[in-house]
Amino acid sequence: MRADHYDAFAVSYDAENASSLLNEYYERPAMIALAGDVRGRRILDAGCGSGPLSAALRTRGAALTAFDGSPAMVELARRRLGDDVPVSVADLAEPLPFEDDAFDDVVASLVLHYLEDWAGPLAELRRVLKPGGRLILSVNHPLVRVFTHPDEDYFATRPYSEEYRFAGEEAMLTFWHRPLHAMTDAFTAAGFDIAVVDEPAPSPDTPAELLTPRIRRGETTAFLSFIFFVLEAPGPRRG
Ligand SMILES: C[S@@+](CC[C@H](N)C(=O)[O-])C[C@H]1O[C@@H](n2cnc3c(N)ncnc32)[C@H](O)[C@@H]1O
């Protein structure tokens, strides 16, 4: 999948992301909670989209740099974030235009699952992280396809496509499925320690009408959608 594929539906995706259960009330609050106290930290937002996570982390006192493969998403992020956040067009599948040891943390929300190869991108993200820095990321939970497509091979790393409606506009996305062990193998092969694996609940302030019926009825507290990791680049512990 080309790094600029979001150009075709950038404005619709941004509108959907701003108020959806999956982004506004689930993925983003989980990333913010995993990041914890970010005051004074230099953070790279990899695959920043239109910049909502960068904006939230900046409000919490971090200094952000961001990039995305879609020029249209970068344009939206620049409008949202203004001059004090450098936002560039860059492809996570290619060498990144940042110095070694430049960041305390990297956040990568819902972007790695577009890439077939994780070795190169993870090596690059580790390179730009300071020793002791963290890579905080989310991707599609690999078990979701087991339930929705039980005929498929869970254990194969392979592409699959899904149709979405973003704020009323149709979009086709192509992801790379990989089983959980292939994710953790890629993290450790890139030299990261796995500090946290998370399957969080939606934010407590989610409007009731957005929650799943089973959560509304009190039968469960969460749902399977994304999986979250906090990885640490070995080195001095964070202060
Ligand atoms: C699901 S959106 C998430 C955007 C943002 N991280 C958020 O959570 O709001 C995925 C983003 O990844 C970007 N992307 C996809 N492939 C990429 C690549 N190879 N390099 C950089 N960005 C990529 C897309 O352009 C899109 O903005």
Side-chain angles (χ1 to χ4, degrees):
M1 177 125 279
R2 289 167 52 114
D4 64 359
H5 61 280
Y6 268 66
D7 275 6
F9 42 81
V11 170
S12 312
Y13 178 77
D14 174 49
E16 179 77 24
N17 181 300
S19 60
S20 71
L21 169 64
L22 290 183
N23 299 104
E24 175 69 5
Y25 296 104
Y26 173 58
E27 198 278 339
R28 201 154 32 253
M31 290 290 286
I32 291 167
L34 288 170
D37 182 357
V38 293
R39 274 172 301 178
R41 294 181 74 80
R42 294 204 58 194
I43 300 183
L44 175 65
D45 188 350
C48 63
S50 56
L53 181 58
S54 283
L57 295 173
R58 178 176 63 180
T59 300
R60 288 162 177 77
L64 270 299
T65 298
F67 75 90
D68 196 276
S70 154
M73 296 305 283
V74 164
E75 182 53 36
L76 293 171
R78 285 183 178 142
R79 268 190 243 159
R80 181 196 297 270
L81 298 166
D83 290 340
D84 62 322
V85 177
V87 188
S88 52
V89 177
D91 184 345
L92 185 51
E94 302 289 336
L96 296 175
F98 307 108
E99 302 287 317
D100 294 359
D101 301 349
F103 300 102
D104 298 301
D105 299 307
V106 174
V107 291
S109 274
L110 305 176
V111 59
L112 268 170
H113 51 210
Y114 293 111
L115 303 180
E116 176 180 8
D117 172 49
W118 282 16
L122 288 172
E124 272 299 273
L125 296 177
R126 173 143 187 231
R127 179 185 67 74
V128 303
L129 271 174
K130 292 179 182 161
R134 303 173 304 169
L135 168 56
I136 305 166
L137 71 101
S138 64
V139 288
N140 287 346
H141 198 302
L143 284 185
V144 173
R145 291 290 286 189
V146 175
F147 295 112
T148 60
H149 294 74
D151 51 315
E152 291 180 355
D153 180 6
Y154 168 79
F155 297 97
T157 295
R158 52 177 175 73
Y160 65 96
S161 296
E162 283 180 346
E163 274 183 26
Y164 285 81
R165 280 190 87 78
F166 296 136
E169 185 180 0
E170 286 184 10
M172 178 70 84
L173 295 180
T174 299
F175 303 99
W176 280 87
H177 166 86
R178 68 193 69 221
L180 184 58
H181 79 270
M183 294 184 185
T184 55
D185 285 355
F187 299 149
T188 50
F192 284 106
D193 295 330
I194 301 172
V196 179
V197 180
D198 202 10
E199 295 169 318
S203 167
D205 63 0
T206 307
E209 66 273 17
L210 293 185
L211 288 170
T212 63
R214 294 197 64 219
I215 296 180
R216 274 207 301 272
R217 290 196 297 265
E219 294 167 10
T220 184
T221 53
F223 49 79
L224 275 186
S225 181
F226 307 134
I227 189 165
F228 297 74
F229 299 92
V230 179
L231 311 178
E232 290 177 354
R237 302 216 61 86
R238 46 192 304 250

